[in-house]
Amino acid sequence: MSPRTEPAFLLGAGFSQPAGLPLSRDLTELMLDRARGSYAHALNYVVGQVIAHDARAGASPSLMPNVERVASAVKLLATRRELEIAPFISAWDSTVDALDAQPPKITHVTRNKVRRALGLDNSRPAGQPRLNEFLSALEDVLRQSSQPEPRRIFEGILNQMVRELSALLTLPADADLSYLGPFAQWLTAVEGPVTIATLNYDLVLEACLEPSPVTLSTGISDWGATGSLDFKSAKIELLKLHGSLSWQEKFVGNLNRAGLQDDGGPAESPLLVFGQREKLQPQGPFLQLLEKFRESISRTHDIVVIGYGFGDEHINFVLEQWVEGAPGRRLTIVDPGFDARREHWLSLRGRLLRAPNAGSIVRFLRVGAEAFLERLHADGLESVLSASPTELESLETFDHPYG
């Protein structure tokens, strides 16, 4: 494997925020606002309990939990009777069982379906119901009014959260992606290939590069048929480590093996790694994507992290191994909110450099994605990554090798 002169990039939610997309904690609040009926009751309860738990430990009760933590809590509640620890729990919070016991209400969709079947709307003359449509609607009513199965309410919340996630992270037609223009120009100018790993589900980068001459591949176009990633010599290898809004599961071949298709736009049921506890999934291409990330960064001496708060331990472990793997490697973390999270970053730096090779550097730039990408295009990579220590104000030591 030949070394690469270009840096690798690791992107988190902060990279897409200037495009108008919400961050993780904002997503929780938006989902609460959009929830209705019994789902709203249950979701409010889950979020409220998480906030109360954090407040008892000293956190601000006004701090909304991130959406992946909420999703993990909902998933565990749905499977609580099957957990390994279940034999040791004599009783769950009574509210949890009460929520599961609520019979589901007939949905608005089903009500409209019945109205159409009976000719009670303007789309069909009165008195001309279609028998099959009416029977189908009646089956929905009977199914929804029957006794609920265990897990039903929490499984329903999780499915609803995924649907809402897709809607909330879909770029509006008038989204302003001009802040990514300098990045697209820089990617056009460099020799490549360039590895860009992202933990985001959105299609911001794809939309930005669509009008450019730069070739981009996520590697999954033939994965369903071959079981292998193939980037087809694209200049940009985009590793969507946690899935994509545009990835739709499908069945391929005579064996009905699960595959993937990527039509470029939001999928009806996107394949995502959603939740804090389920990051390493054996289903889908996720383990292969993580190994591809590990292999790709082993050939570069620079990684630039933009908008990632280091909340995923499996990703952090790969970065630790990379920092320790060879001398002269530089990990640059772009974060305009460094001061607010100073203790977090100090702790992270100590962890990453606990047994470094000579000359390994972990440094922080107090700028946002927009300002960093502008400078990357205007001044070039080496100029930005070797910026004067005075730009780090009182943190000059962060620009020097550990020890």
Side-chain angles (χ1 to χ4, degrees):
M1 295 184 297
S2 58
R4 294 183 175 180
T5 58
E6 312 301 348
F9 293 85
L10 176 62
L11 311 179
F15 178 83
S16 299
Q17 186 184 24
L21 297 184
L23 298 177
S24 183
R25 296 182 192 277
D26 301 324
L27 283 168
T28 302
E29 189 164 1
L30 289 167
M31 287 187 183
L32 288 172
D33 291 341
R34 294 162 71 103
R36 296 291 182 270
S38 57
Y39 286 166
H41 183 184
L43 187 58
N44 283 332
Y45 166 76
V46 172
V47 173
Q49 289 295 97
V50 173
I51 291 174
H53 173 80
D54 290 348
R56 286 192 293 270
S60 169
S62 64
L63 185 63
M64 193 67 67
N66 76 65
V67 74
E68 290 201 289
R69 184 180 175 195
V70 174
S72 287
V74 170
K75 191 175 296 186
L76 287 170
L77 288 170
T79 58
R80 63 190 183 280
R81 297 184 181 91
E82 300 152 26
L83 298 176
E84 291 84 348
I85 201 173
F88 305 96
I89 299 176
S90 59
W92 294 89
D93 185 323
S94 59
T95 306
V96 173
D97 290 327
L99 287 168
D100 253 346
Q102 290 183 9
K105 295 179 173 63
I106 298 172
T107 65
H108 180 69
V109 172
T110 301
R111 290 180 183 276
N112 285 341
K113 193 174 181 181
V114 173
R115 288 178 60 83
R116 288 195 304 272
L118 295 175
L120 299 178
D121 62 0
N122 296 328
S123 64
R124 186 179 302 142
Q128 298 182 17
R130 293 180 181 175
L131 180 60
N132 288 341
E133 187 174 351
F134 174 73
L135 292 176
S136 174
L138 183 60
E139 287 175 358
D140 284 351
V141 171
L142 293 173
R143 182 169 57 252
Q144 293 177 33
S145 60
S146 63
Q147 280 298 106
E149 302 172 0
R151 308 165 42 144
R152 187 168 187 173
I153 187 69
F154 293 107
E155 282 189 344
I157 291 173
L158 194 62
N159 292 334
Q160 181 68 23
M161 289 180 74
V162 172
R163 288 192 291 271
E164 294 292 355
L165 192 70
S166 181
L168 291 167
L169 293 180
T170 295
L171 279 171
D174 59 350
D176 183 5
L177 300 181
S178 59
Y179 77 100
L180 291 175
F183 194 34
Q185 294 176 55
W186 182 83
L187 290 170
T188 301
V190 298
E191 183 177 350
V194 177
T195 295
I196 302 177
T198 178
L199 307 174
N200 302 334
Y201 311 127
D202 62 62
L203 307 177
V204 167
L205 197 57
E206 293 94 321
C208 161
L209 294 178
E210 185 176 9
S212 78
V214 177
T215 56
L216 176 150
S217 173
T218 59
I220 64 101
S221 58
D222 298 326
W223 181 85
T226 66
S228 300
L229 300 173
D230 184 1
F231 293 88
K232 303 183 183 301
S233 301
K235 188 174 187 179
I236 308 301
E237 297 174 350
L238 180 60
L239 310 182
K240 307 202 79 170
L241 300 176
H242 290 168
S244 175
L245 293 184
S246 62
W247 291 2
Q248 177 71 55
E249 279 192 288
K250 66 174 183 177
F251 291 100
V252 296
N254 296 328
L255 298 178
N256 286 333
R257 182 174 61 187
L260 282 176
Q261 65 183 25
D262 186 348
D263 295 327
E268 182 178 348
S269 299
L271 181 63
L272 309 174
V273 178
F274 187 37
Q276 284 188 330
R277 307 172 68 92
E278 302 82 19
K279 299 297 188 182
L280 293 176
Q281 289 193 5
Q283 300 87 4
F286 301 111
L287 293 180
Q288 289 168 277
L289 286 167
L290 184 63
E291 184 55 34
K292 171 64 176 177
F293 177 53
R294 188 194 307 271
E295 180 270 325
S296 295
I297 64 176
S298 70
R299 290 183 277 159
T300 183
H301 75 283
D302 273 303
I303 296 179
V304 179
V305 179
I306 307 176
Y308 170 53
F310 285 76
D312 293 326
E313 282 302 309
H314 63 300
I315 301 296
N316 299 348
F317 182 70
V318 171
L319 293 175
E320 286 181 47
Q321 288 186 314
W322 176 81
V323 169
E324 297 174 3
R329 287 179 168 173
R330 295 183 299 187
L331 180 66
T332 301
I333 300 170
V334 178
D335 178 23
F338 176 87
D339 292 324
R341 304 184 55 183
R342 180 185 176 86
E343 293 304 317
H344 166 75
W345 290 128
L346 285 171
S347 174
L348 174 71
R349 178 179 179 274
R351 173 180 169 180
L352 289 170
L353 293 175
R354 59 189 174 188
N357 276 285
S360 296
I361 296 174
V362 176
R363 62 196 305 267
F364 300 83
L365 297 181
R366 280 193 183 93
V367 293
E370 188 170 0
F372 174 82
L373 296 176
E374 179 65 40
R375 286 198 54 189
L376 179 67
H377 170 59
D379 302 336
L381 174 70
E382 193 59 33
S383 175
V384 175
L385 298 188
S386 302
S388 168
T390 57
E391 295 185 8
L392 301 177
E393 297 176 9
S394 63
L395 302 173
E396 293 92 340
T397 55
F398 279 60
D399 196 46
H400 299 290
Y402 182 78

